[in-house]
Amino acid sequence: MKMEDMSLSGLDNTKLEALAQDIYSDLVEDACLGLCFEVHRAVKQGYFFLDDTDQESMKDFEIVDQPGVDIFGQVYNQWKNKECVCPNCNRSIAASRFAPHLEKCLGMGRNSSRIANRRIASSNNMNNKSESDQEDNDDVNDNDWSYGSEKKAKKRKSDKNPNSPRRSKSVKHKNGEELSNSVNADPYKYNYNTGINYETLGPDELRSLLTTQCGVISEHTKKMCTRSQRCPQHTDEQRRAVRVFLLGPSASSLPDADTMVESDCYDASDGQVLMSRLQWDGSSDISPSDSASSKASTNNSDSKKPKKKKKTSLGLNSTGGGGGGSGSGGGSSSQTSLVGLSNRKKKPKLPVPPTQYLDNLN
Amino acid sequence: MSKDSKMRATINQKLTEMGERERLKELLRAKLTECGWRDQLKAHCKDVIKEKGLEHVTVEDLVVEITPKGRVLVPDSVKKELLQRIRAFLAQHAT
């Protein structure tokens, strides 16, 4: 029994191995046969050679291995050096820059900002009149500051409403029109960016500059401030100091526009002394806007309107004073006018200064 | 000897009945495709066909040409793995 069992069960290893090998080769043959049938069917059905490309095409698309050329045979910089002519501006443009150029040129791309350019161009035409130059000088010509603010300020300028009160104010101020024109001529002499160097200007130029501009000399740049007389950066004290420094002590008077015009009305020396004393003492009451904006306690006023009125009334006074009899009448009228002025401005200190004026006058 | 043949027949029968044969077949096909054996042999077929002419190729022609080459081209790893599986089966079921 055992022997049979053994013989039955125990095929020895070599036989087992042989058996395994046989089974294996059967399997491989099966695989080969399967492939053969597949190929034969493909051949007979005509689709065996379909996925191959023909010889000619193989030659066309052969891999290229030359220097300066990619594997398809294309040159890298082929279109770099070519130039195209822009149909809009008729300029010759490099091919790689052509698309962005066209975008800007036609004004239709995303970053072209053509509309903005057009607006700037039209507003430049508007701004070429002298009245808006005054506006420019106010904010743009502050040369104590940097470049960038100048450009930004210029752009903002063009967006201003032509009917804004500031513009009308500058128009009103134009009694000394030849003055302002001459001042405006000067800015073109020097660059907006560099500011005014007081050393290079003559006394007449200085005086004309100082009548319209702040003129305070900056410590670090040694240049005169080109903002208006009311610029909030500098105090009236500073302005006065600058005028004393530049023109001599006798000629330091702030609203010089008034004095220049008044020389027509009465004697120049008298008028100037009177005016200067008046302005230094009581000007804080007459110009509330000034006191609001300026930082100094003593306020040499810059506003033009009240001064004009005051000047005319004083003009009356002085001429009346010469006559004697009419002087008192003129004095009373001046008093009332002055009080009226001060009442309009609504200052608590009002009652005191006008009497002082009267004392000076009489 | 007949016992051997009987033995063999029994084992083969078992192999088929249990589905092991199919499994082994699939395993072999997958492995051969994976290792590129199939593509090599197909390229050889193309040569044979071009040689014999497209119209007149028979199955016999192909079989005669392909099978010996196919046997040779089987990679060793595939062969070893398959033999291992067969031996395992035999060891399990030959008693």
Side-chain angles (χ1 to χ4, degrees):
Chain A
M1 290 293 280
K2 261 192 185 175
M3 289 296 287
E4 282 183 359
D5 285 341
M6 271 181 72
S7 60
L8 266 173
S9 59
L11 290 169
D12 53 16
N13 284 341
T14 52
K15 283 191 181 166
L16 269 175
E17 187 59 34
L19 185 56
Q21 289 286 342
D22 282 343
I23 295 171
Y24 164 76
S25 51
D26 274 347
L27 288 169
V28 171
E29 225 177 282
D30 256 355
C32 292
L33 264 178
L35 184 69
C36 286
F37 287 138
E38 228 177 275
V39 168
H40 182 259
R41 189 168 196 269
V43 166
K44 290 304 174 186
Q45 295 288 328
Y47 61 82
F48 185 61
F49 286 112
L50 269 183
D51 49 357
D52 291 339
T53 43
D54 57 332
Q55 273 301 319
E56 283 183 18
S57 309
M58 290 285 271
K59 276 184 194 156
D60 285 343
F61 298 118
E62 218 169 342
I63 290 177
V64 177
D65 194 12
Q66 296 165 15
V69 149
D70 66 5
I71 64 168
F72 298 112
Q74 293 167 353
V75 185
Y76 172 59
N77 292 343
Q78 195 177 10
W79 305 107
K80 236 191 194 180
N81 303 329
K82 307 230 166 147
E83 295 203 341
C84 334
V85 178
C86 172
N88 206 31
C89 59
N90 289 324
R91 285 201 290 175
S92 169
I93 310 284
S96 53
R97 297 297 310 162
F98 186 57
H101 163 79
L102 209 58
E103 200 181 28
K104 301 272 189 300
C105 198
L106 291 173
M108 295 200 311
R110 199 160 63 85
N111 298 329
S112 59
S113 62
R114 173 84 157 174
I115 302 171
N117 287 340
R118 220 190 307 142
R119 214 190 310 137
I120 287 173
S122 62
S123 64
N124 271 340
N125 289 337
M126 272 170 31
N127 282 350
N128 278 341
K129 304 174 191 170
S130 61
E131 56 179 54
S132 28
D133 280 343
Q134 201 68 335
E135 293 297 317
D136 284 345
N137 286 343
D138 280 351
D139 291 346
V140 174
N141 280 352
D142 184 4
N143 298 307
D144 290 342
W145 297 49
S146 64
Y147 275 56
S149 55
E150 176 243 325
K151 280 191 187 159
K152 267 188 261 170
K154 250 207 148 88
K155 244 202 166 163
R156 267 187 274 118
K157 272 294 154 241
S158 49
D159 294 342
K160 268 198 178 173
N161 185 6
N163 297 330
S164 68
R166 279 202 83 174
R167 283 186 193 254
S168 54
K169 188 186 120 182
S170 66
V171 172
K172 256 200 194 177
H173 164 58
K174 281 298 148 87
N175 24 351
E177 211 173 271
E178 64 274 18
L179 238 192
S180 46
N181 280 342
S182 67
V183 171
N184 290 335
D186 284 343
Y188 299 131
K189 266 198 224 165
Y190 54 82
N191 204 350
Y192 275 124
N193 295 334
T194 53
I196 315 170
N197 218 337
Y198 58 89
E199 294 149 7
T200 59
L201 298 173
D204 286 335
E205 287 175 352
L206 276 175
R207 216 174 288 131
S208 62
L209 268 172
L210 286 173
T211 53
T212 50
Q213 293 176 11
C214 172
V216 173
I217 297 171
S218 155
E219 293 241 338
H220 18 270
T221 68
K222 304 289 179 216
K223 299 214 168 109
M224 295 166 61
C225 173
T226 51
R227 285 188 141 198
S228 75
Q229 293 271 1
R230 299 167 49 195
C231 106
Q233 277 184 312
H234 303 115
T235 67
D236 286 337
E237 272 293 331
Q238 287 175 302
R239 283 187 268 271
R240 202 191 341 155
V242 159
R243 278 154 183 78
V244 169
F245 170 63
L246 287 176
L247 304 171
S250 61
S252 62
S253 51
L254 268 177
D256 295 333
D258 291 342
T259 59
M260 297 292 284
V261 179
E262 277 158 23
S263 56
D264 301 337
C265 302
Y266 47 83
D267 296 334
S269 55
D270 285 345
Q272 276 186 0
V273 169
L274 273 171
M275 286 305 301
S276 53
R277 290 175 78 179
L278 273 165
Q279 281 136 27
W280 287 351
D281 290 339
S283 49
S284 61
D285 313 325
I286 296 192
S287 52
S289 51
D290 275 352
S291 59
S293 60
S294 83
K295 296 156 194 166
S297 54
T298 59
N299 199 352
N300 290 325
S301 83
D302 301 339
S303 71
K304 322 287 186 217
K305 278 188 235 173
K307 298 239 182 76
K308 265 208 288 190
K309 298 235 162 120
K310 198 176 32 147
K311 161 197 66 174
T312 52
S313 60
L314 283 167
L316 278 172
N317 279 343
S318 54
T319 51
S326 55
S328 54
S332 56
S333 69
S334 72
Q335 181 184 17
T336 53
S337 66
L338 279 173
V339 170
L341 266 176
S342 45
N343 284 340
R344 232 187 313 145
K345 304 297 177 181
K346 291 175 196 168
K347 280 287 170 177
K349 284 196 248 171
L350 281 174
V352 181
T355 53
Q356 281 182 358
Y357 289 141
L358 286 178
D359 290 340
N360 289 338
L361 280 174
N362 294 333
Chain B
M1 293 325 243
S2 60
K3 277 183 186 175
D4 282 340
S5 53
K6 244 190 176 180
M7 192 73 210
R8 273 174 173 222
T10 317
I11 287 182
N12 280 332
Q13 196 183 3
K14 260 192 179 174
L15 207 57
T16 310
E17 277 172 1
M18 291 179 71
E20 188 63 21
R21 204 185 192 108
E22 284 300 318
R23 279 195 284 273
L24 286 169
K25 251 194 198 175
E26 283 306 315
L27 181 68
L28 183 62
R29 276 214 177 158
K31 289 226 175 258
L32 288 176
T33 311
E34 198 180 284
C35 71
W37 172 90
R38 219 165 166 258
D39 299 321
Q40 275 178 292
L41 226 49
K42 236 185 179 181
H44 186 64
C45 288
K46 274 183 196 166
D47 296 334
V48 169
I49 290 162
K50 277 171 194 165
E51 193 187 332
K52 299 271 170 142
L54 197 61
E55 294 296 321
H56 305 294
V57 172
T58 62
V59 182
E60 284 304 318
D61 290 336
L62 283 172
V63 169
V64 163
E65 296 286 333
I66 297 299
T67 311
K69 197 152 192 237
R71 265 199 222 114
V72 168
L73 280 176
V74 175
D76 277 344
S77 56
V78 177
K79 188 174 183 179
K80 273 185 186 154
E81 192 178 333
L82 226 64
L83 278 172
Q84 201 173 4
R85 274 192 76 150
I86 295 168
R87 276 185 221 126
F89 180 81
L90 288 175
Q92 206 179 358
H93 296 102
T95 51

